[in-house]
Amino acid sequence: MRKLLSFLFCFFLLNLHAQKPEKLNAAEIFQEIKKLNFLGSVLYIGAHPDDENTRLISYFSNEKNARTAYLSLTRGDGGQNLIGPELREQLGLIRTQELLAARRIDGGEQFFTRANDFGYSKTPEETLEIWNKEKVLSDVVWIIRNFKPDVIINRFDHRTPGTTHGHHTSSAILSLEAFEAAANPNKFTEQLEFAETHQTKRAYFNTSPWFYGGQEAFEEANKNQFVSFDTGVYFPLLGLSNPEISSLSRSQHQSQGFGSTGSRGSQMEYLEPIKGDTIRSQNVFKGIDTSWSKLEGGVEIGEILTQVEENYNFKNPAASLPKLVEAYKLIRELPNEHWREVKTKEIKNIIYSSSGLFLEAVANQASATARDSVQINLEAINRSDFSITLSSVELSPNNAKINPEIKLENNENWQNEITLKVPENTAYTTPYWLKEAANNGMYKVEDQQLRGLPETPILTKSLFNLDFNGVTLSFEKPIVYKYNDPVLGETYQPFEIIPEVSLSFEDEMIIFENDEPKNISVKLTSGKANVKGEVSLSAGEGWIIEPKNHTFQLQQKGSNTNLSFEVIPPKDQNETFIIPTSIIDGREFSEELISIDYPHIPKQNLVVPSKLKVARLEIEKKGELIGYIEGAGDVVPESLEQIGYRVNKLNAETISRSSLQKYDAVVLGIRALNTVEALKYKQQILFDYVENGGNLIVQYNTNRGLVTENISPLPLELSRDRVTYETAEVRFLAENHPVLNSPNKISKKDFDNWVQERGLYFPDSWSEDFTPILSMHDKNETPKNGSLLVAKYGEGYFIYTGLSFFRQFPAGVPGAYRLFANMISIGKE
């Protein structure tokens, strides 16, 4: 039975070598031995990356030695990205890897459901309707049945709907329903082919001052019903306190700007028992047998491992190998399949590290295509006196094999080569949950055994089969690619299977502001040498593309060429997708290879169907030149260029009164007043620009963490008001205002097909100088009138908007472009 993947723990800091193999030191090996001797588990459940309490995860993993995991119902796809332009699925991929990086530090494992983070939700009712409650519940049950926690801890309170993000409350509601369902053989019976039912012993709610509105209120609260304990412990072997480890883990959430400073000293955590037996003890495992003796055949294993722990030699971990190998043999004979598999993985890692083994399979290139032959360089070394023989090495997916049958003498390196022939039907390296198009609330994953996994199981791998003094152990290692960087030195990255040719467009969408043709270029990048064929583009009815096809030839792997096609749009407003197709030796390719490469996570490849959205819009505009001060990252500048504006990206530190005079409008990117420190000192220059006849457009900011209180030249207060229903009715409060009438006549139709939300962080208080333009609200809420505010200030206009243009532009929403053009054009009659 294939089990959910387990990610082994190391304490050293992650660095630029994000794919570099782990090498545990003597202190870390000892820590793993202590964990091996503990048979208890904790599952922490939240809604998003960053919801997890890393202090608690680290505490249970490293102080209590429990098998600990975090279940994030979503991958954080609906948030913003503070380190780059990636949004939606690509952002979810980044945040997945950030969570895995965090778990490598705090010692936990990581799981997910198929739930798609569709953006902010105010109620669990809305959330569970969009997600498909039964499917997400089945995933939570699946993970419980596989991980088999003794204890579940919820990050959020199931009893307080509407007080926090709907995803948050939903995670707690689903957790408690799954607590019962996982033990019920009549629930989700299709899972029972691969997993058994499981009854978790108890569930807790991890309460804190945050849920009471602050520290003072929490101190006054009655805590008699809570379990409390100090997680501020210090680990002398590691030289770190638990809060310091927690902060290192938390700081991996770089795309969210969650860098955290380590702390020391006492830090209390509070758990409220909410389900199962309600024993109130500082030890959440009280009354639960976490020893080897609870398993048939486990007593002898426990005795052996206790000796290993008591007699551990920090100067020579290999001295434990005879007893470890003896325990390994007994673990492999355990009748209990769950603990047999879990503890086999753990003890194999300890044996590997204690012997100083290093096993590696390195490809001579970073990627390959189907039918390629790739040289794999093998290395094996035993850095102990224990008798180890390398019996064989085999590769997957083609099962090439060599049988060296060589004894690995202490510190004598063995190297060899083997050829990997990639089978023709080998799947591309890409995230499994993105292989099929998702809907608004759920990813599609048909394979039951993939559900819950943080990433796609390794496809290209090597299996080293070794004999440890008569006992056979096999170690699976991913095939990797490594090279020497002149600055960074030895650098690793994944070895991946890619298409023979990648077809991509420079933009995600192209706007036709009139019926004039445009030249559109498709970029072809070869995945192997000597690729030749032809390329054609197809589009919807009414769109004309010339020529019908181009031929191409790419000599070198990684080389590229751009082929230009003339696209003639329809006369009337229309949207479609342009799909490229390449024919190579009778085989069709229409995929784009996207690489995401940041220093703090392994390089990620994403293979998706290539497409370009094109839209013929009926749009008019006034003004030509725009200055744009970037904030937290968006594609608004590029989108405005699509409709014919010239956009200069401005450095806030260098703007001056004279430098802004030439711009028809100056636009601040999303959260610029949260993230651009220089605006603390440059706001008055922007206000003077408006007063002298300029047009300043400020997009949404959060009301926390503003770099300046002066967000407007006129009184204006931000709130947390937002409208999450993208289909919420929009009413016009100022029908005759220029922003709704010139140069484009805005109608209700312009608010059709908006995505994810209407907007966020609207002002709720403003000067009478502002004219509120629009009113909208979510179900059962009062009208929100602050989404678009326009004020005449001096000779110019100041506009503040919380409308989510940054989401609508990439989606090609025509009305969003028309409205923004009016905002830029205001005052230019």
Side-chain angles (χ1 to χ4, degrees), residues 8 321 325 328 344-355 357-361 388-390 392-394 408 461-468 471-478:
L8 298 169
L321 283 172
V325 171
Y328 169 81
T344 292
K345 290 178 181 178
E346 290 182 10
I347 197 168
K348 281 175 63 177
N349 181 59
I350 293 169
I351 290 170
Y352 181 89
S353 300
S354 297
S355 61
L357 267 175
F358 180 83
L359 306 172
E360 189 169 74
I388 302 175
T389 297
L390 177 60
S392 63
V393 185
E394 50 192 303
L408 299 177
K461 55 193 175 183
S462 58
L463 188 68
F464 290 79
N465 299 304
L466 298 103
D467 182 289
F468 281 71
V471 178
T472 299
L473 281 85
S474 298
F475 296 95
E476 186 176 283
K477 297 293 178 180

Side-chain angles (χ1 to χ4, degrees), residues 455-586:
E455 53 187 350
T456 307
I458 297 168
L459 176 67
T460 51
K461 55 193 175 183
S462 58
L463 188 68
F464 290 79
N465 299 304
L466 298 103
D467 182 289
F468 281 71
N469 201 19
V471 178
T472 299
L473 281 85
S474 298
F475 296 95
E476 186 176 283
K477 297 293 178 180
I479 296 175
V480 297
Y481 173 69
K482 69 177 180 181
Y483 60 94
N484 184 67
D485 184 280
V487 176
L488 303 175
E490 185 179 59
T491 302
Y492 283 77
Q493 67 184 60
F495 170 74
E496 303 187 305
I497 305 301
I498 63 174
E500 288 188 21
V501 63
S502 168
L503 302 99
S504 61
F505 298 96
E506 183 177 354
D507 302 296
E508 291 188 16
M509 74 166 302
I510 292 180
I511 302 294
F512 290 77
E513 68 271 25
N514 53 45
D515 60 4
E516 294 295 317
K518 288 188 177 183
N519 286 327
I520 290 179
S521 179
V522 58
K523 181 179 180 180
L524 281 71
T525 304
S526 63
K528 61 186 298 183
N530 301 316
V531 175
K532 62 181 179 179
E534 64 179 42
V535 175
S536 61
L537 303 183
S538 61
E541 186 177 351
W543 293 79
I544 300 172
I545 301 175
E546 296 291 346
K548 292 192 178 299
N549 58 63
H550 279 294
T551 60
F552 71 93
Q553 183 168 2
L554 298 169
Q555 299 289 345
Q556 303 295 324
K557 179 176 180 176
S559 61
N560 57 70
T561 186
N562 289 281
L563 302 177
S564 182
F565 293 81
E566 184 180 68
V567 178
I568 304 171
K571 295 291 184 183
D572 300 321
Q573 186 160 299
N574 188 282
E575 301 175 38
T576 189
F577 284 100
I578 292 178
I579 308 296
T581 302
S582 172
I583 307 294
I584 301 172
D585 295 332

Side-chain angles (χ1 to χ4, degrees), residues 26-189:
E28 292 163 349
I29 294 170
F30 184 67
Q31 183 74 15
E32 294 300 314
I33 291 171
K34 291 197 294 182
K35 291 182 181 181
L36 182 63
N37 234 344
F38 189 88
L39 279 71
S41 52
V42 176
L43 181 63
Y44 197 89
I45 298 180
H48 310 105
D50 82 5
D51 285 345
E52 81 273 30
N53 184 338
T54 54
R55 285 196 306 272
L56 214 49
I57 291 174
S58 177
Y59 174 82
F60 280 117
S61 178
N62 303 308
E63 172 65 11
K64 294 300 182 182
N65 299 311
R67 187 177 180 223
T68 310
Y70 175 49
L71 168 56
S72 175
L73 266 59
T74 77
R75 297 177 186 265
D77 331 71
Q80 282 85 54
N81 184 0
L82 297 184
I83 61 173
E86 296 87 0
L87 292 174
R88 291 302 305 148
E89 290 82 3
Q90 293 182 42
L91 176 58
L93 185 55
I94 291 171
R95 291 188 172 180
T96 294
Q97 290 300 319
E98 289 178 338
L99 274 174
L100 289 173
R103 299 294 80 80
R104 284 189 287 268
I105 288 175
D106 60 35
E109 300 175 39
Q110 183 62 52
F111 304 116
F112 297 94
T113 74
R114 288 169 289 171
N116 189 342
D117 181 358
F118 56 84
Y120 191 85
S121 174
K122 293 179 179 177
T123 67
E125 291 78 18
E126 176 198 21
T127 296
L128 296 174
E129 178 182 343
I130 294 175
W131 272 353
N132 187 321
K133 178 183 176 182
E134 279 301 295
K135 289 184 178 180
V136 182
L137 176 61
S138 75
D139 288 354
V140 180
V141 168
W142 169 251
I143 291 159
I144 291 173
R145 285 174 171 175
N146 280 275
F147 186 73
K148 299 189 182 303
D150 296 301
V151 175
I152 288 175
I153 301 175
N154 288 344
R155 184 69 183 97
F156 299 103
D157 192 345
H158 64 290
R159 299 159 296 192
T160 56
T163 60
T164 182
H165 198 320
H167 297 182
H168 292 167
T169 311
S170 296
S171 70
I173 292 171
L174 291 170
S175 170
L176 295 184
E177 290 192 21
F179 184 98
E180 303 286 353
N184 187 343
N186 298 316
K187 285 286 190 178
F188 307 111
T189 55

Side-chain angles (χ1 to χ4, degrees), residues 185-237:
N186 298 316
K187 285 286 190 178
F188 307 111
T189 55
E190 72 281 358
Q191 298 178 5
L192 300 180
E193 178 184 354
F194 309 104
E196 298 173 343
T197 59
H198 175 72
Q199 179 61 70
T200 303
K201 301 296 191 301
R202 55 190 70 133
Y204 296 91
F205 161 48
N206 181 200
T207 192
S208 71
W210 188 85
F211 294 97
Y212 286 76
Q215 184 64 40
E216 184 176 344
F218 187 65
E219 289 177 356
E220 295 176 357
N222 182 355
K223 303 183 186 61
N224 291 337
Q225 73 273 30
F226 298 160
V227 171
S228 62
F229 45 88
D230 187 358
T231 62
V233 295
Y234 175 67
F235 303 111
L237 287 177

Side-chain angles (χ1 to χ4, degrees), residues 726-738:
E726 61 267 37
T727 58
E729 180 188 4
V730 177
R731 294 189 300 110
F732 294 170
L733 300 177
E735 291 187 6
N736 297 322
H737 195 280

